[in-house]
mmCIF file of all heavy atoms in Angstrom:
data_model
loop_
_atom_site.group_PDB
_atom_site.id
_atom_site.type_symbol
_atom_site.label_atom_id
_atom_site.label_comp_id
_atom_site.label_asym_id
_atom_site.label_seq_id
_atom_site.Cartn_x
_atom_site.Cartn_y
_atom_site.Cartn_z
ATOM 1 N N LYS P 6 -2.156 5.341 2.766
ATOM 2 C CA LYS P 6 -2.161 5.243 4.230
ATOM 3 C C LYS P 6 -2.605 6.561 4.857
ATOM 4 O O LYS P 6 -3.369 6.569 5.823
ATOM 5 C CB LYS P 6 -0.778 4.860 4.732
ATOM 6 C CG LYS P 6 -0.400 3.437 4.403
ATOM 7 C CD LYS P 6 0.990 3.112 4.874
ATOM 8 C CE LYS P 6 1.410 1.720 4.442
ATOM 9 N NZ LYS P 6 2.781 1.404 4.820
ATOM 10 N N PHE P 7 -2.132 7.691 4.312
ATOM 11 C CA PHE P 7 -2.574 8.995 4.811
ATOM 12 C C PHE P 7 -4.071 9.173 4.610
ATOM 13 O O PHE P 7 -4.771 9.671 5.495
ATOM 14 C CB PHE P 7 -1.819 10.125 4.107
ATOM 15 C CG PHE P 7 -0.521 10.506 4.768
ATOM 16 C CD1 PHE P 7 0.691 10.219 4.163
ATOM 17 C CD2 PHE P 7 -0.514 11.155 5.991
ATOM 18 C CE1 PHE P 7 1.881 10.566 4.756
ATOM 19 C CE2 PHE P 7 0.673 11.504 6.600
ATOM 20 C CZ PHE P 7 1.875 11.218 5.988
ATOM 21 N N TRP P 8 -4.576 8.778 3.448
ATOM 22 C CA TRP P 8 -6.002 8.905 3.172
ATOM 23 C C TRP P 8 -6.838 8.070 4.141
ATOM 24 O O TRP P 8 -7.821 8.555 4.703
ATOM 25 C CB TRP P 8 -6.301 8.475 1.734
ATOM 26 C CG TRP P 8 -6.205 9.608 0.767
ATOM 27 C CD1 TRP P 8 -5.083 10.042 0.130
ATOM 28 C CD2 TRP P 8 -7.269 10.458 0.338
ATOM 29 N NE1 TRP P 8 -5.392 11.105 -0.666
ATOM 30 C CE2 TRP P 8 -6.720 11.380 -0.567
ATOM 31 C CE3 TRP P 8 -8.619 10.522 0.630
ATOM 32 C CZ2 TRP P 8 -7.493 12.360 -1.178
ATOM 33 C CZ3 TRP P 8 -9.382 11.490 0.011
ATOM 34 C CH2 TRP P 8 -8.825 12.398 -0.875
ATOM 35 N N ILE P 9 -6.450 6.830 4.326
ATOM 36 C CA ILE P 9 -7.215 5.947 5.215
ATOM 37 C C ILE P 9 -7.169 6.452 6.656
ATOM 38 O O ILE P 9 -8.199 6.532 7.323
ATOM 39 C CB ILE P 9 -6.700 4.503 5.106
ATOM 40 C CG1 ILE P 9 -7.022 3.943 3.724
ATOM 41 C CG2 ILE P 9 -7.295 3.610 6.190
ATOM 42 C CD1 ILE P 9 -6.340 2.635 3.396
ATOM 43 N N ALA P 10 -5.971 6.812 7.119
ATOM 44 C CA ALA P 10 -5.847 7.333 8.485
ATOM 45 C C ALA P 10 -6.639 8.627 8.641
ATOM 46 O O ALA P 10 -7.308 8.839 9.660
ATOM 47 C CB ALA P 10 -4.382 7.554 8.829
ATOM 48 N N GLY P 11 -6.591 9.487 7.642
ATOM 49 C CA GLY P 11 -7.320 10.753 7.707
ATOM 50 C C GLY P 11 -8.817 10.553 7.767
ATOM 51 O O GLY P 11 -9.523 11.216 8.531
ATOM 52 N N ILE P 12 -9.317 9.629 6.968
ATOM 53 C CA ILE P 12 -10.759 9.362 6.976
ATOM 54 C C ILE P 12 -11.191 8.796 8.321
ATOM 55 O O ILE P 12 -12.226 9.195 8.876
ATOM 56 C CB ILE P 12 -11.127 8.416 5.814
ATOM 57 C CG1 ILE P 12 -10.975 9.153 4.481
ATOM 58 C CG2 ILE P 12 -12.532 7.864 5.971
ATOM 59 C CD1 ILE P 12 -11.070 8.263 3.262
ATOM 60 N N VAL P 13 -10.398 7.889 8.874
ATOM 61 C CA VAL P 13 -10.736 7.284 10.174
ATOM 62 C C VAL P 13 -10.705 8.346 11.274
ATOM 63 O O VAL P 13 -11.636 8.437 12.086
ATOM 64 C CB VAL P 13 -9.783 6.110 10.491
ATOM 65 C CG1 VAL P 13 -9.936 5.655 11.924
ATOM 66 C CG2 VAL P 13 -10.026 4.965 9.539
ATOM 67 N N VAL P 14 -9.665 9.163 11.302
ATOM 68 C CA VAL P 14 -9.542 10.192 12.341
ATOM 69 C C VAL P 14 -10.659 11.227 12.205
ATOM 70 O O VAL P 14 -11.269 11.626 13.202
ATOM 71 C CB VAL P 14 -8.146 10.850 12.294
ATOM 72 C CG1 VAL P 14 -8.078 12.069 13.193
ATOM 73 C CG2 VAL P 14 -7.079 9.850 12.685
ATOM 74 N N ALA P 15 -10.944 11.654 10.981
ATOM 75 C CA ALA P 15 -12.023 12.625 10.776
ATOM 76 C C ALA P 15 -13.372 12.047 11.207
ATOM 77 O O ALA P 15 -14.175 12.737 11.845
ATOM 78 C CB ALA P 15 -12.063 13.063 9.321
ATOM 79 N N ALA P 16 -13.614 10.788 10.882
ATOM 80 C CA ALA P 16 -14.877 10.158 11.277
ATOM 81 C C ALA P 16 -14.985 10.048 12.798
ATOM 82 O O ALA P 16 -16.064 10.283 13.372
ATOM 83 C CB ALA P 16 -14.998 8.784 10.639
ATOM 84 N N LEU P 17 -13.886 9.720 13.458
ATOM 85 C CA LEU P 17 -13.914 9.660 14.925
ATOM 86 C C LEU P 17 -14.203 11.037 15.525
ATOM 87 O O LEU P 17 -14.940 11.150 16.507
ATOM 88 C CB LEU P 17 -12.591 9.116 15.459
ATOM 89 C CG LEU P 17 -12.339 7.632 15.216
ATOM 90 C CD1 LEU P 17 -10.933 7.248 15.673
ATOM 91 C CD2 LEU P 17 -13.377 6.793 15.929
ATOM 92 N N GLY P 18 -13.635 12.069 14.944
ATOM 93 C CA GLY P 18 -13.896 13.419 15.423
ATOM 94 C C GLY P 18 -15.356 13.810 15.266
ATOM 95 O O GLY P 18 -15.961 14.403 16.171
ATOM 96 N N VAL P 19 -15.931 13.466 14.132
ATOM 97 C CA VAL P 19 -17.347 13.775 13.900
ATOM 98 C C VAL P 19 -18.224 12.985 14.867
ATOM 99 O O VAL P 19 -19.191 13.521 15.425
ATOM 100 C CB VAL P 19 -17.729 13.495 12.433
ATOM 101 C CG1 VAL P 19 -19.233 13.576 12.228
ATOM 102 C CG2 VAL P 19 -17.015 14.469 11.511
ATOM 103 N N LEU P 20 -17.892 11.722 15.085
ATOM 104 C CA LEU P 20 -18.660 10.919 16.042
ATOM 105 C C LEU P 20 -18.584 11.510 17.446
ATOM 106 O O LEU P 20 -19.591 11.568 18.160
ATOM 107 C CB LEU P 20 -18.155 9.480 16.056
ATOM 108 C CG LEU P 20 -18.500 8.629 14.842
ATOM 109 C CD1 LEU P 20 -17.806 7.277 14.937
ATOM 110 C CD2 LEU P 20 -19.992 8.452 14.724
ATOM 111 N N LEU P 21 -17.402 11.956 17.830
ATOM 112 C CA LEU P 21 -17.245 12.565 19.153
ATOM 113 C C LEU P 21 -18.070 13.840 19.262
ATOM 114 O O LEU P 21 -18.762 14.061 20.263
ATOM 115 C CB LEU P 21 -15.762 12.859 19.414
ATOM 116 C CG LEU P 21 -15.400 13.440 20.770
ATOM 117 C CD1 LEU P 21 -15.744 12.463 21.888
ATOM 118 C CD2 LEU P 21 -13.923 13.791 20.809
ATOM 119 N N ALA P 22 -18.027 14.671 18.232
ATOM 120 C CA ALA P 22 -18.729 15.944 18.275
ATOM 121 C C ALA P 22 -20.243 15.789 18.162
ATOM 122 O O ALA P 22 -20.993 16.508 18.828
ATOM 123 C CB ALA P 22 -18.220 16.865 17.161
#
Side-chain angles (χ1 to χ4, degrees):
K6 290 178 185 177
F7 272 110
W8 270 87
I9 292 169
I12 290 170
V13 169
V14 170
L17 289 174
V19 170
L20 287 174
L21 183 63

